[in-house]
């Protein structure tokens, strides 16, 4: 989300009822996110304890000492003395050193939970097996066209919460809106296709973090808890799964090239 819009959007999201705010060092808007939260606390009377704040450590900050220092910087930018969840953003570089730093920060009470992002089932199993704290969350690309059933099953085996980034398929949202199956189901409930897409994931036990800069769409994205899809409807929506990323597979070397370009 662009810096100039972040504080307003965070404030409006909290105003309409959201309580989970997700940012990252690599989004370059932690400071503005902190501004929006502070404004909401001051003007809306929301308690910090009622907000679940997540950030992510970027690859350039991996390694024990660098990670610890980067979290201290994130705390300053976000204007808080603790973080509810910190994720390892990518399974690259010295992510083990970074994870050990997060374990120690967890012990110190500066972070309440540790998680990972964009980890395959194999890498997720590895970091779970050889560290003293099992990740609480794996945040991965999940949407109508990549429903992540295989990875989801492994998350359940390790008791790791599945969290979806890009739950509305980002640049392919138009395809969701125009898909005849999704449109038919949406009409049955008087909902939008986007709400059906979000409801399908929520009903699977997945945490969704849809992004919007428009207050009316924020309200729509939140309005998915007053109906339940039938088993048949869930089966029909599952058929839309293409079982592949919109960007790059986990074993694609281009992921490394992308991370290096972000440095």
């Amino acid at each position: 989300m662009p810096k100039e819009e972040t504080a307003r959007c965070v404030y409006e999201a909290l105003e309409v009822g959201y309580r989970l705010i997700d940012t990252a060092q690599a989004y370059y808007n932690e400071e503005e996110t902190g501004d929006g939260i502070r404004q909401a606390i001051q003007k809306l009377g929301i308690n910090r304890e009622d907000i679940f704040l997540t950030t992510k450590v970027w690859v350039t900050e991996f390694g024990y000492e660098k990670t610890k220092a980067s979290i201290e910087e994130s705390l300053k930018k976000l204007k808080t003395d603790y973080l509810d969840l910190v994720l390892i953003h990518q399974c690259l570089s010295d992510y083990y050193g970074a994870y050990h730093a997060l374990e120690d920060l967890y012990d110190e009470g500066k972070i309440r939970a540790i998680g990972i992002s964009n980890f395959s089932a194999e890498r997720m199993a590895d970091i779970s097996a050889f560290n003293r704290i099992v990740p609480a969350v794996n945040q991965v690309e999940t949407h109508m066209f990549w429903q992540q059933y295989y990875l989801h099953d492994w998350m359940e085996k390790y008791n790791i919460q599945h969290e979806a980034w890009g739950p509305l398929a980002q640049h392919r949202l138009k395809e969701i809106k125009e898909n005849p199956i999704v449109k038919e189901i949406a009409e049955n409930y008087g909902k939008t296709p986007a709400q059906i897409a979000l409801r399908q994931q929520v009903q699977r036990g997945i945490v969704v973090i849809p992004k919007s800069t428009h207050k009316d769409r924020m309200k729509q994205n939140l309005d998915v808890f007053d109906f339940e899809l039938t088993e048949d409807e869930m089966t029909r929506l599952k058929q839309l799964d293409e079982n592949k990323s919109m960007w790059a597979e986990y074993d694609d070397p281009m992921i490394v090239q992308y991370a290096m370009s972000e440095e």
Side-chain angles (χ1 to χ4, degrees), residues 220-232:
Q220 287 183 1
N221 291 341
L222 196 60
D223 187 23
V224 297
F225 299 101
D226 60 348
F227 71 104
E228 185 171 339
L229 299 170
T230 67
E231 185 176 339
D232 177 66

Side-chain angles (χ1 to χ4, degrees), residues 200-228:
Q200 182 215 21
Q201 295 173 73
V202 168
Q203 207 160 307
R204 290 179 57 204
I206 298 171
V207 172
V208 293
I209 46 173
K211 169 200 153 187
S212 180
T213 59
H214 303 283
K215 193 173 182 179
D216 58 340
R217 290 181 196 160
M218 292 181 195
K219 292 178 180 177
Q220 287 183 1
N221 291 341
L222 196 60
D223 187 23
V224 297
F225 299 101
D226 60 348
F227 71 104
E228 185 171 339

Side-chain angles (χ1 to χ4, degrees), residues 26-28 58-60 89-90 92 118 165 247-248 252-263:
Y27 298 167
Y28 304 108
W58 186 240
V59 177
T60 55
H89 207 152
Q90 298 282 353
L92 300 171
N118 302 309
W165 64 258
W247 306 105
D252 188 338
M254 285 305 298
I255 292 176
V256 179
Q257 297 297 314
Y258 168 76
M260 291 173 65
S261 69
E262 289 294 302
E263 296 182 15

Side-chain angles (χ1 to χ4, degrees), residues 34-143:
D35 289 340
I37 291 172
R38 183 176 59 181
Q39 291 170 22
I41 290 172
Q42 292 174 346
K43 297 179 181 179
L44 302 175
I46 298 172
N47 295 321
R48 167 65 182 93
E49 293 74 20
D50 294 328
I51 299 170
F52 192 92
L53 180 58
T54 301
T55 195
K56 310 176 192 71
V57 182
W58 186 240
V59 177
T60 55
E61 307 306 314
F62 283 3
Y64 185 85
E65 295 297 340
K66 287 186 73 175
T67 294
K68 289 198 79 173
S70 79
I71 292 300
E72 293 295 342
E73 184 65 21
S74 290
L75 286 166
K76 291 177 183 177
K77 289 180 177 179
L78 289 162
K79 302 166 185 66
T80 185
D81 56 5
Y82 73 94
L83 293 160
D84 296 279
L85 174 65
V86 177
L87 306 178
I88 300 294
H89 207 152
Q90 298 282 353
C91 182
L92 300 171
S93 185
D94 184 15
Y95 65 91
Y96 255 79
Y99 199 85
H100 292 157
L102 296 188
E103 288 182 315
D104 287 349
L105 288 166
Y106 172 86
D107 291 340
E108 294 170 20
K110 291 188 177 181
I111 62 179
R112 302 288 176 85
I114 305 169
I116 52 180
S117 181
N118 302 309
F119 274 56
S120 67
E122 185 262 348
R123 289 293 86 197
M124 181 182 72
D126 172 77
I127 205 165
S128 300
F130 297 106
N131 288 285
R132 58 189 178 85
I133 299 176
V134 175
V137 169
N138 190 5
Q139 185 185 115
V140 293
E141 177 189 352
T142 311
H143 46 75

Side-chain angles (χ1 to χ4, degrees), residues 137-257:
V137 169
N138 190 5
Q139 185 185 115
V140 293
E141 177 189 352
T142 311
H143 46 75
M144 195 69 72
F145 306 118
W146 198 20
Q147 298 183 26
Q148 294 274 26
Y149 276 90
Y150 176 77
L151 182 53
H152 183 83
D153 288 344
W154 277 101
M155 288 192 215
E156 289 192 327
K157 290 177 182 178
Y158 280 91
N159 196 29
I160 295 172
Q161 176 62 51
H162 186 164
E163 185 172 46
W165 64 258
L168 293 176
Q170 297 181 321
H171 62 281
R172 295 185 65 182
L173 175 58
K174 184 178 179 181
E175 295 177 52
I176 292 176
K177 291 179 177 179
E178 296 177 352
N179 183 276
I181 294 174
V182 182
K183 285 174 66 176
E184 179 190 334
I185 295 172
E187 289 170 3
N188 291 342
Y189 294 96
K191 297 290 184 178
T192 67
Q195 288 171 318
I196 297 302
L198 294 174
R199 178 64 204 181
Q200 182 215 21
Q201 295 173 73
V202 168
Q203 207 160 307
R204 290 179 57 204
I206 298 171
V207 172
V208 293
I209 46 173
K211 169 200 153 187
S212 180
T213 59
H214 303 283
K215 193 173 182 179
D216 58 340
R217 290 181 196 160
M218 292 181 195
K219 292 178 180 177
Q220 287 183 1
N221 291 341
L222 196 60
D223 187 23
V224 297
F225 299 101
D226 60 348
F227 71 104
E228 185 171 339
L229 299 170
T230 67
E231 185 176 339
D232 177 66
E233 288 166 339
M234 291 289 286
T235 299
R236 293 174 68 195
L237 292 171
K238 186 177 180 179
Q239 295 171 359
L240 302 179
D241 187 10
E242 298 171 2
N243 198 31
K244 63 180 180 181
S245 171
M246 296 189 300
W247 306 105
E249 303 293 346
Y250 291 125
D251 59 355
D252 188 338
M254 285 305 298
I255 292 176
V256 179
Q257 297 297 314

Side-chain angles (χ1 to χ4, degrees), residues 11-28:
Y11 177 87
E12 291 182 349
L14 291 166
E15 184 180 28
V16 302
Y18 288 87
R19 289 296 179 268
L20 189 157
I21 303 295
D22 179 273
T23 186
Q25 294 171 355
Y27 298 167
Y28 304 108

